[in-house]
Amino acid sequence: RASDFADVMGLALPAQRTIHDLLVNLILPSVDHVYVNHMRDMRSTVRNVMDGRGLDISIDGRYDSPGYSATNCTVSTIDLKTNLIIMVVNMHKRMRGIEGKSGRMEKEGVREGLKRIAALVYKIRSVCSDNDAKIGKMLREDAHFKDIKHLLDFWHLIKKINHNLRELEKKKSCPNIQFWRRKIINHAYFVHLKYARNRARGLNYWMSVLPHVTGRHSYFQKIPFLNGISKCKHTKLGRDTTHLIKRDSDEYQELKAVILKTTFLSGFLRASPKKNTSPNEYFNSIINMYAPKKNASTPPWYEERVKLATLHFNNLSLLNMLNLREERYDTSVKVIGRGSRAVKRKMAKVDHAWRREVRHAHYCFKENLSTNQLVQAEFIAFLSDVNPEKRPTCAEIISH
């Protein structure tokens, strides 16, 4: 332990109670002060760029521990036009209406977040969420949200299809699914983006996978579950019949059950073509930096950690909007769940100005601090922020 090491070395370290008092009386008020001003500025920015049709937002929840034993849940709401967080709701399983059941926290957090945004006189046009049935039911049945269009994140939809195809790969009766799985998933993304404005037609091209894997690429008019399309969109293929699936085989019936899965077909029609919850997932990864899931936190301390993560995320979003983030290099990464690779940009480290604002706010919350002492403290903070190569000389400091 640090205290034992300090005793051996003869060092005097602050007691745990002293550090706790400094956090409660100095650090936390400073963070709260900067956070409140920051969120007010972010909402003003979003309001200035918002059009008359309203906000397009994504919303997602993040639990503080894996499994079904979570104590805290953070529901983030992000404006998809600016990628700025405009509302964060922290739920605890002991709150009223949750009754100790962790699975209820995300739904209640979404409800509370949308009500808070509406109270700020923001009009919400659409909400993009994952494929959570509880959230979908709440948005359909709650009268407060009847004018909000609910869209689904396509990645969460296709993830289940990919999982089912992987299960088919393990069966001896399905020897060709391994060859087709990656092609089917890529085809799903293609029709999802290609037919963003005509979801019904895109759905038919999704189901055209079934005749395609049997070697049939035209004369779709005679297929009962296809309507309005006559052939595949690809160019003429070769005569390779190695991995074709016979229509009268058990393998075809297994694949057909996956492709025509009712929940996926209905979700495809409501899938968001361009908007998704990836910004929320990115924010959740930043929370892991400040509040790791392996470390338990009480609700007040967890909420303070989430505030720091919010300041961190919005600062990066603002720099991206202004094209002030420097790209260092590109790297190839494997796309989880899709079986393909993509290019990921590695960005350089950025300057987080909000950290200096928190440090400067400390002096405003010190008790019995005279004006002269406050000036000296601000000047010391100024020197600590100046680049060492540009620090003033002693003569300049005295004249200052």
Side-chain angles (χ1 to χ4, degrees), residues 14 38 52 91 116 138 168 176 182 210 221 232 311:
H38 170 83
M91 306 298 293
R116 291 183 185 181
M138 186 250 316
L168 292 184
N176 298 302
R182 178 175 174 180
L210 292 173
Q221 297 89 340
C232 292
L311 294 169

Side-chain angles (χ1 to χ4, degrees), residues 44-161:
S44 298
T45 302
V46 171
R47 190 183 296 276
N48 292 334
V49 300
M50 182 179 65
D51 55 28
R53 294 176 296 177
L55 293 175
D56 293 315
I57 61 176
S58 63
I59 197 164
D60 191 33
R62 182 261 187 193
Y63 292 92
D64 68 342
S65 65
Y68 298 92
S69 59
T71 302
N72 302 291
C73 177
T74 299
V75 177
S76 58
T77 304
I78 297 179
D79 172 48
L80 291 172
K81 190 173 184 179
T82 60
N83 266 14
L84 293 174
I85 297 176
I86 58 175
M87 185 62 65
V88 176
V89 177
N90 293 294
M91 306 298 293
H92 188 263
K93 67 178 182 181
R94 295 194 185 93
M95 297 177 67
R96 181 180 300 178
I98 297 177
E99 299 175 357
K101 298 182 179 180
S102 301
R104 296 180 180 178
M105 289 193 291
E106 183 175 2
K107 185 190 74 172
E108 295 301 322
V110 171
R111 188 199 307 273
E112 180 66 20
L114 294 178
K115 286 185 177 180
R116 291 183 185 181
I117 294 175
L120 295 172
V121 199
Y122 284 96
K123 180 183 178 182
I124 303 175
R125 180 174 62 169
S126 67
V127 172
C128 181
S129 69
D130 55 16
N131 195 21
D132 191 332
K134 297 189 294 295
I135 295 177
K137 181 179 180 181
M138 186 250 316
L139 292 176
R140 288 194 307 270
E141 298 180 354
D142 197 320
H144 295 91
F145 313 130
K146 62 180 180 179
D147 297 328
I148 299 177
K149 185 178 181 181
H150 183 210
L151 303 175
L152 300 178
D153 182 14
F154 188 73
W155 180 82
H156 286 89
L157 291 171
I158 201 62
K159 182 174 67 171
K160 186 63 175 177
I161 297 295

Side-chain angles (χ1 to χ4, degrees), residues 297-331:
S297 297
T298 58
W301 293 103
Y302 178 79
E303 184 175 354
E304 294 298 327
R305 292 172 179 266
V306 172
K307 289 179 181 179
L308 296 176
T310 305
L311 294 169
H312 188 123
F313 177 88
N314 277 345
N315 183 65
L316 296 179
S317 297
L318 285 173
L319 293 175
N320 285 331
M321 289 173 58
L322 300 173
N323 294 323
L324 295 179
R325 292 194 69 186
E326 180 183 355
E327 182 178 345
R328 297 177 58 189
Y329 58 89
D330 295 334
T331 182

